[in-house]
Amino acid sequence: MNVYLSIGCDYKYDLAKWLIEREDVDEIYMDHYPSMACDLGRTLSNEHFHYVEMDTFRRHDAADCVNVDDCPMPSKDLIEKALKYESMAVHLGMRETNYPIHTYEESKRSYLFFFRLWNHVLSEISPGYIYFEEIPHCMSIYVMYVVARVKNIPVTVLEPTGIRLDNYSGGVYVYGHSIKSLGANVGEFYEQIKNKPIGECELNGKVKTYFERSVAGRNEASNSADAKKKWAEYVYRQEFAPYYDRLYNIKYIVYSLARKMGYKGKTGSFGKYTQYRFDRERELKEKACRYIKRHAMPLKTYDLLAELPDYTRKYIYYPLQQMPEATLFPLAGIYAEQYNALQMLSRITKPYGVKIYVKEYFIQAFRDKDFWDDVKRLKNVHFIKSSVPSIDMIKGAIAVANATGTCLMEAVFENKPALAFGGGHNWKNMPGLFEIVSEKQGKEVMKKILAGYDINRENLRRYFYAIQERTIEYYVNADYSVDKGGEYDNTLRYMKRLIGGELDKIKKGEWTGYHDG
């Protein structure tokens, strides 16, 4: 069996060495990012290790850097099977720039290009199993996932949760056989152990620490603002913000010098490629700045229009997600468009005189003006200043709502029901969490909340025991580097157990395909 490791950090090297020693593994294929620290100058000498260069695959201009003529067209049957994923793939194309500056036609061409490319790559290497380090949340990797699905290749997908100790230094990851099944195993196991004596639900490691901190009122919402601001600055430095002028001005200078030094008028030369990159970067920056000027409302303008919360009111707190958010798109379905969730919530709460307090995410520099215009039309929705602490909003609310996110977990620790829109959250069957599936069901949930709803702390502890038993601890820094030591060894042990178990099932013929729609 050939195995593909879609991992962007150091773990893949030790995993590859371990996998090749297994009798049921023949060849190992791995993502390789030449520009990232973990892969810079690193190679594995074994003839059974193979690299797939990902820097080109992930760029928005990959179609200009890869000769797709070498990739046969996919069959009609395969393309038809993938039709239901096409819209999401095109939507995810926005993450290449983080702005809706590409036309639908451009994004559709990119999707079809990547589908053709990955169909060819996966046909050539014939993996019997693919391991995704995280939810595929940019177009090219998501299309790789789609091709694996329609070809019925077994996969394991990981997703980071909000359970972490050092904010952006790793934590607890849920896993599943598809994006839709992420975290389902936690909920299923919890249902099996709901009556287990509480003394037998012993917590340890990161899960125990997070639980105890949260019970004591010291969860992430109350002490992570500074860390998140630093994370936002890091993300911007990683080219997610064309309005970050200093970075792009430096890039222009570098490209300009390289063009003058290397451009000899030859097709395919370094200078010719640099000329193209220079022009492309300038074009993208102009498009982004034009979009920001004409269509976006800056955070500072939002805060001028927003108000301070009135805690004497009955309200549901809805903290907005950063957009485009890494996992919201592929997970939340129709509620990836947050207006849909707010509109549903407005209809559910209005008959009971309950307000909705919407708060902008303080690291969201701006959002589309049309979004705010639409939300403003919802009569019982109020905008809250972004500087108001999230933990204060949670404590004053009668419930907290979102499509996904740590706030749902933080709510139940404050004995506040959590309303989840869509099935994309990590906390399946968590005590105190209600998945809102219809307006009628949502109104019934509101009746329960207004009548008074207490969350059993012992059941919450049992749920954390289920998390502990059905997730893995994963240590990785914000820049995808990893520090060798006890936590690294612990993570590697978890990953080997998970991957080894999946390979054993495949070998025994227990893999029966996808069953999540």
Side-chain angles (χ1 to χ4, degrees), residues 182-195:
L182 282 164
N185 57 334
V186 173
E188 292 166 357
F189 186 66
Y190 169 69
E191 292 299 318
Q192 296 171 19
I193 55 103
K194 281 174 73 171
N195 297 320

Side-chain angles (χ1 to χ4, degrees), residues 232-241 243-244 247 363-365:
E233 292 170 0
Y234 169 77
V235 170
Y236 293 154
R237 287 198 300 273
Q238 295 300 304
E239 304 184 32
F240 281 104
Y243 58 85
Y244 190 63
L247 169 68
I363 63 174
Q364 182 83 25

Side-chain angles (χ1 to χ4, degrees), residues 221-285:
S222 62
N223 57 66
S224 66
D226 289 340
K228 285 184 176 179
K229 286 179 181 177
K230 291 178 181 178
W231 169 250
E233 292 170 0
Y234 169 77
V235 170
Y236 293 154
R237 287 198 300 273
Q238 295 300 304
E239 304 184 32
F240 281 104
Y243 58 85
Y244 190 63
D245 283 335
R246 186 169 59 182
L247 169 68
Y248 275 74
N249 288 338
I250 291 172
K251 290 177 70 174
Y252 290 159
I253 293 171
V254 172
Y255 284 144
S256 181
L257 290 173
R259 180 185 58 180
K260 290 178 180 178
M261 294 170 58
Y263 184 34
K264 305 298 181 183
K266 297 177 182 179
T267 302
S269 69
F270 171 73
K272 182 75 172 179
Y273 173 69
T274 305
Q275 168 78 55
Y276 169 78
R277 290 292 296 161
F278 179 84
D279 293 340
R280 183 65 170 168
E281 292 287 348
R282 182 168 52 194
E283 176 189 348
L284 288 175
K285 180 178 173 63

Side-chain angles (χ1 to χ4, degrees), residues 120-148:
H120 172 66
V121 171
L122 296 185
S123 295
E124 287 286 300
I125 67 180
S126 298
Y129 173 74
I130 301 176
Y131 183 79
F132 289 97
E133 175 189 38
E134 58 184 346
I135 284 184
H137 53 263
C138 65
M139 182 191 283
S140 68
I141 308 301
Y142 181 74
V143 174
M144 175 189 176
Y145 165 79
V146 170
V147 174

Side-chain angles (χ1 to χ4, degrees), residues 250-378:
I250 291 172
K251 290 177 70 174
Y252 290 159
I253 293 171
V254 172
Y255 284 144
S256 181
L257 290 173
R259 180 185 58 180
K260 290 178 180 178
M261 294 170 58
Y263 184 34
K264 305 298 181 183
K266 297 177 182 179
T267 302
S269 69
F270 171 73
K272 182 75 172 179
Y273 173 69
T274 305
Q275 168 78 55
Y276 169 78
R277 290 292 296 161
F278 179 84
D279 293 340
R280 183 65 170 168
E281 292 287 348
R282 182 168 52 194
E283 176 189 348
L284 288 175
K285 180 178 173 63
E286 289 172 354
K287 282 184 177 181
C289 291
R290 192 158 54 243
Y291 164 77
I292 293 167
K293 183 177 180 180
R294 297 180 182 179
H295 302 288
M297 187 169 87
L299 179 62
K300 62 182 179 181
T301 304
Y302 163 87
D303 275 325
L304 289 174
L305 300 174
E307 59 190 88
L308 291 171
D310 180 353
Y311 293 116
T312 65
R313 288 175 168 174
K314 289 183 178 179
Y315 69 88
I316 289 179
Y317 174 46
Y318 192 104
L320 288 173
Q321 294 275 359
Q322 184 182 13
M323 292 295 285
E325 202 268 344
T327 58
L328 193 63
F329 281 163
L331 281 174
I334 189 173
Y335 299 112
E337 175 46 65
Q338 295 179 93
Y339 173 75
N340 290 331
L342 288 169
Q343 186 182 47
M344 171 77 85
L345 190 58
S346 174
R347 293 170 66 89
I348 290 169
T349 56
K350 200 171 182 180
Y352 305 101
V354 175
K355 304 297 181 183
I356 303 168
Y357 282 176
V358 174
K359 188 167 80 73
E360 179 59 290
Y361 202 177
F362 62 80
I363 63 174
Q364 182 83 25
F366 47 78
R367 202 178 291 268
D368 196 285
K369 285 186 287 190
D370 290 341
F371 171 82
W372 291 119
D373 290 341
D374 290 339
V375 173
K376 195 161 47 177
R377 296 188 187 99
L378 303 174

Side-chain angles (χ1 to χ4, degrees), residues 28-63:
I28 306 292
Y29 294 84
M30 298 189 295
D31 292 347
H32 190 251
Y33 299 89
S35 61
M36 291 180 64
C38 66
D39 286 339
L40 195 61
R42 274 189 87 169
T43 57
L44 291 174
S45 58
N46 192 296
E47 62 179 346
H48 298 289
F49 298 140
H50 311 279
Y51 295 106
V52 179
E53 300 295 341
M54 298 302 295
D55 273 7
T56 298
F57 278 21
R58 295 189 67 145
R59 283 203 303 263
H60 52 77
D61 59 344

